Amino acid sequence: MSRNAELARLIRDRAGAAPPEYGLVLGSGLGHLAAAVEGVAIPYSDLPGFPHAGVSGHVPQLVVGALEGRRVAVLGGRAHYYESGRADVMRPALEVLKALGTERLILTNAAGSLRAAMPPGSLMLLSDHIAFAGTNPLIGEPSEARFVPMTEAHDPGIRAGLKAAAEAEGIALPEGVYCWFSGPSFETPAEIRAARILGADAVGMSTVPEVILARFLGLRCAAVSVITNMGAGLSDESISHEHTKAMAPLGAAKLERILRRFLAQGT
Ligand code: HPA
């Protein structure tokens, strides 16, 4: 049996056989959303190939269970390209979600804003992205499937559902373009100005490789950024990982309301 099939069996044995309708990946400081799920938590250490999330603010466990009556599989932490230099570090975990029968994925992250109208505490729904980190998680993939089309990579149907949920909750959810920088250093002010010229609305160090992998695996996906700071040079506040973790809860509460409404409305 392949490792993915074995892990899928382990997860089914512990958490039940029904396929999760949605996979959710939680970003920095957003890990507590997993606590809202009534289900079974499996530490990543029991799941070979799942990321040993080495970044504080992440909770390295998979929680499979019910949220608003819908079956979900929540990845409480992610690994980033900058931790290992491997852009495909989330591939095993996403392959296992696929092996469980999951067809849709919602990714979350903390991000810096390039728009004055999106201050810290705001949310942004990704309409599209720019892979500015200069690498790709499918480099080395031998199959023809590596030539993944990325038009509408951010699923219009899921996005419409998330926007409707946000509207019903009275929460602003503007759409924008996310630009992936490798990190782990934050951007320079000149890089932030360049990203704006390129058409970005927010910057971050994650999510894009997962979107590429999701499309490769045939998962429909969408992603939401929690804005924790203005991009470098756009405000006087200092940028740090501590600041990101401290600010994430501001937007996380709103994001949780949107996700709950989205799942409850049955889109
Ligand atoms: N840049 C990159 N990643 C981030 C930022 C930022 O300003 N804020 C939170 N994650």
Side-chain angles (χ1 to χ4, degrees), residues 7-77:
L7 288 179
R9 193 173 66 179
L10 180 154
I11 293 164
R12 286 194 189 103
D13 285 349
R14 291 204 205 169
E21 275 183 81
Y22 282 93
L24 293 174
V25 178
L26 305 181
S28 285
L30 307 174
H32 79 279
L33 283 179
V37 178
E38 293 160 38
V40 174
I42 305 174
Y44 286 173
S45 51
D46 288 359
L47 301 169
F50 276 59
H52 302 287
V55 181
S56 61
H58 289 257
V59 187
Q61 59 181 18
L62 172 72
V63 183
V64 181
L67 188 58
E68 298 295 329
R70 311 290 288 277
R71 192 157 167 85
V72 295
V74 182
L75 291 164

Side-chain angles (χ1 to χ4, degrees), residues 110-112 186-187 203-205 228-229 239 244:
F186 284 99
E187 299 73 29
V203 292
M205 304 178 193
T228 53
N229 56 279
I239 300 176
T244 295

Side-chain angles (χ1 to χ4, degrees), residues 76-249:
R78 61 153 55 90
H80 307 80
Y81 170 56
Y82 63 72
E83 292 172 64
S84 63
R86 288 190 41 215
D88 65 351
V89 60
M90 291 295 285
R91 182 165 172 171
L94 296 180
E95 283 178 342
V96 169
L97 288 189
K98 173 82 179 175
L100 288 170
T102 308
E103 290 177 353
R104 288 177 287 187
L105 185 67
I106 297 181
L107 304 159
T108 64
N109 60 54
S113 172
L114 308 192
R115 301 276 165 220
M118 276 188 333
S122 316
L123 302 176
M124 186 186 89
L125 177 63
L126 277 65
S127 57
D128 204 345
H129 68 240
I130 300 170
F132 200 64
T135 186
N136 190 295
L138 296 175
I139 289 174
E141 163 60 35
S143 72
E144 287 283 299
R146 65 189 167 187
F147 300 112
V148 185
M150 293 298 290
T151 317
E152 299 202 330
H154 297 262
D155 188 79
I158 301 179
R159 277 159 54 202
L162 288 167
K163 282 185 86 76
E167 204 171 309
E169 289 291 328
I171 297 169
L173 186 63
E175 286 201 322
V177 173
Y178 174 98
C179 185
W180 175 36
F181 280 85
S182 76
S185 56
F186 284 99
E187 299 73 29
T188 63
E191 286 165 344
I192 291 296
R193 289 193 299 274
R196 270 175 82 150
I197 291 167
L198 291 178
D201 301 296
V203 292
M205 304 178 193
S206 68
T207 302
V208 168
E210 293 148 39
V211 173
I212 295 169
L213 288 166
R215 297 309 301 138
F216 171 68
L217 295 171
L219 299 170
R220 292 169 55 198
C221 68
V224 181
S225 290
V226 170
I227 300 297
T228 53
N229 56 279
M230 297 306 294
L234 298 182
S235 88
D236 293 338
E237 76 195 331
S238 64
I239 300 176
S240 69
H241 187 55
E242 286 311 312
H243 184 265
T244 295
K245 285 188 294 178
M247 296 301 286

Side-chain angles (χ1 to χ4, degrees), residues 20 252 263:
L263 292 169

